[in-house]
């Protein structure tokens, strides 16, 4: 049906999601934790009505009093500072790799990239020749598109893998293993074993990173109390998306200088994520989530 209809359909979905978001009330748990009893009751009534269940009038909703909402000073206090920084570094590295691979892969597949110096030199020379003739864009073949879809199908498998690892093993150790695996799979791309092996390494890189990404969202939910969870998520997401935007620009620019330059930045991002994951020591599986910032625990941590 053409690419224009594809753009229209994929644009409508976020617009519908935005409209739905405007209709959904704030989380009752957050409102209770932040002391807003009236809005918490309204949110609960909305949820009961949505599920076609009668709201029990005898319910008494008790809230915490005088709680700060989403304060960055709480986010960076002694108890949460290190965890915020470490999770931000891990997630920024993950998104750098994901965004970088999203730009790198189409170029690598059309250029038949393999970590062999002769092939790389040939690809760079071909790119330079096309640039000189004002024909720098290469139309991917149907085989290239199939390969691209195969490699990024790892994302679906990775989401399932992340959920399984998080449920049965935990968060800390699987995150370390996945970040370490990402380092290994990217480093191996420096060498050309075979073209097929390189594509499998691309697949494994996507697999390990998306699985780690799934675990990160477990951690954000479980590490931070309800009253600052959204603030933490927004800060960490901002850092990671900024890293991803830099990756998109840098990977594209470096690829045409030399593909291994782009690979090197991916290795650096993976190494930063792995180091931060190794320094992160808190296991949150089966730990009860907190609702408010407990200053007594913060003092005990000191």
């Amino acid at each position: 049906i053409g690419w224009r209809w594809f753009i229209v359909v994929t644009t409508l979905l976020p617009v519908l999601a935005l409209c739905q978001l405007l209709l959904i009330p704030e989380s009752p748990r957050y409102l209770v934790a932040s002391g807003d009893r009236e809005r918490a009751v309204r949110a609960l009534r909305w949820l009961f009505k949505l599920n076609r269940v009668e709201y029990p009038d005898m319910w008494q909703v008790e809230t915490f009093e005088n709680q700060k909402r989403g304060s960055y000073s709480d986010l960076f206090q002694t108890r949460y500072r290190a965890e915020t920084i470490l999770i931000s570094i891990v997630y920024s590295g993950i998104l750098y790799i994901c965004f970088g691979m999203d730009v790198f892969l189409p170029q690598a597949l059309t250029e038949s990239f393999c970590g062999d110096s002769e092939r790389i030199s040939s690809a760079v020379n071909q790119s330079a020749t096309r640039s000189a003739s004002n024909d720098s864009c290469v139309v991917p073949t149907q085989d290239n598109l199939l390969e691209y879809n195969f490699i990024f199908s790892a994302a679906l498998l990775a989401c399932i893998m992340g959920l399984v690892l998080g449920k049965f093993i935990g968060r800390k150790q699987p995150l370390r293993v996945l970040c370490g695996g990402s380092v290994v799979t990217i480093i191996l791309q420096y060498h050309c074993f075979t073209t097929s092996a390189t594509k499998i390494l691309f697949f494994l890189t996507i697999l390990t990173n998306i699985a780690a990404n799934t675990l990160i969202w477990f951690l954000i939910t479980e590490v931070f109390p309800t009253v600052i969870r959204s603030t933490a998520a927004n800060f960490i997401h901002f850092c990671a998306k900024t890293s991803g935007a830099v990756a998109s620009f840098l990977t594209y620019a470096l690829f045409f200088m030399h593909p291994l330059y782009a690979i090197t930045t991916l290795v650096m991002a993976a190494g930063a994520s792995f180091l931060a994951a190794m320094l992160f020591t808190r296991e949150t599986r089966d730990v009860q989530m907190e609702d408010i910032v407990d200053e007594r625990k913060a003092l005990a941590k000191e």
Side-chain angles (χ1 to χ4, degrees):
I1 61 177
W3 64 269
R4 290 181 178 83
W5 279 108
F6 174 78
I7 295 297
V8 170
V9 172
T10 54
T11 302
L12 283 175
L13 295 177
V15 171
L16 292 174
L18 178 62
C19 294
Q20 184 182 25
L21 184 64
L22 296 174
L23 299 174
I24 297 175
E26 182 59 82
S27 162
R29 181 172 184 143
Y30 170 78
L31 295 171
V32 167
S34 58
D36 196 336
R37 182 181 180 280
E38 183 178 345
R39 290 180 62 199
V41 171
R42 286 206 305 266
L44 285 170
R45 288 184 181 277
W46 184 89
L47 289 171
F48 272 81
K49 183 178 179 180
L50 180 67
N51 289 280
R52 299 180 181 180
V53 178
E54 185 177 353
Y55 181 81
D57 292 327
M58 73 283 297
W59 269 23
Q60 296 296 322
V61 178
E62 297 183 3
T63 61
F64 295 96
E65 298 297 333
N66 302 319
Q67 293 299 319
K68 293 181 287 185
R69 306 184 189 183
S71 170
Y72 280 100
S73 62
D74 287 327
L75 186 61
F76 286 99
Q77 68 171 293
T78 302
R79 188 177 174 212
Y80 302 108
R81 184 191 306 124
E83 292 166 340
T84 301
I85 293 172
L86 290 174
I87 293 175
S88 296
I89 293 173
V90 174
Y91 193 36
S92 295
I94 289 170
L95 283 202
Y96 186 98
I97 296 167
C98 289
F99 280 58
M101 290 296 289
D102 201 23
V103 174
F104 182 85
L105 278 177
Q107 302 294 339
L109 294 175
T110 54
E111 301 285 2
S112 299
F113 168 80
C114 192
D116 175 78
S117 59
E118 293 182 2
R119 296 192 182 193
I120 290 174
S121 298
S122 175
V124 172
N125 290 334
Q126 290 174 12
S127 298
T129 301
R130 285 194 303 273
S131 298
S133 62
N134 296 321
D135 184 21
S136 58
C137 294
V138 180
V139 178
T141 65
Q142 193 66 32
D143 288 341
N144 293 150
L145 294 175
L146 288 174
E147 291 166 349
Y148 186 83
N149 288 330
F150 164 73
I151 291 168
F152 267 92
S153 68
L156 177 60
L157 180 60
C159 290
I160 298 171
M161 187 170 81
L163 290 171
V164 172
L165 291 173
K167 179 176 177 60
F168 294 104
I169 298 178
R171 287 56 162 143
K172 182 178 67 174
Q173 294 301 336
L175 185 65
R176 291 175 174 179
V177 172
L178 290 169
C179 289
S182 179
V183 175
V184 173
T185 58
I186 298 174
I187 288 176
L188 289 176
Q189 292 171 31
Y190 279 108
H191 179 71
C192 183
F193 299 96
T194 64
T195 303
S196 297
T198 299
K199 292 169 186 174
I200 291 173
L201 289 174
F202 291 156
F203 181 93
L204 293 176
T205 300
I206 300 298
L207 182 73
T208 53
N209 272 275
I210 300 299
N213 177 63
T214 304
L215 291 174
I216 284 293
W217 284 100
F218 278 126
L219 285 174
I220 293 174
T221 302
E222 297 164 346
V223 167
F224 301 100
T226 301
V227 291
I228 63 170
R229 189 172 298 132
S230 294
T231 303
N234 289 335
F235 175 81
I236 293 168
H237 205 62
F238 170 78
C239 294
K241 281 299 179 72
T242 301
S243 173
V246 172
S248 298
F249 167 76
L250 203 57
T251 303
Y252 189 83
L254 291 177
F255 183 89
F256 290 105
M257 294 174 63
H258 200 296
L260 288 189
Y261 293 166
I263 293 291
T264 299
T265 64
L266 297 177
V267 171
M268 293 170 63
S273 289
F274 177 63
L275 179 60
M278 293 301 294
L279 293 174
F280 188 85
T281 58
R282 184 175 174 185
E283 176 57 70
T284 58
R285 178 173 176 253
D286 297 330
V287 175
Q288 183 176 359
M289 292 190 296
E290 299 175 0
D291 288 319
I292 63 172
V293 177
D294 193 336
E295 296 180 359
R296 293 170 299 177
K297 291 184 178 181
L299 292 173
K301 190 85 172 180
E302 292 179 341

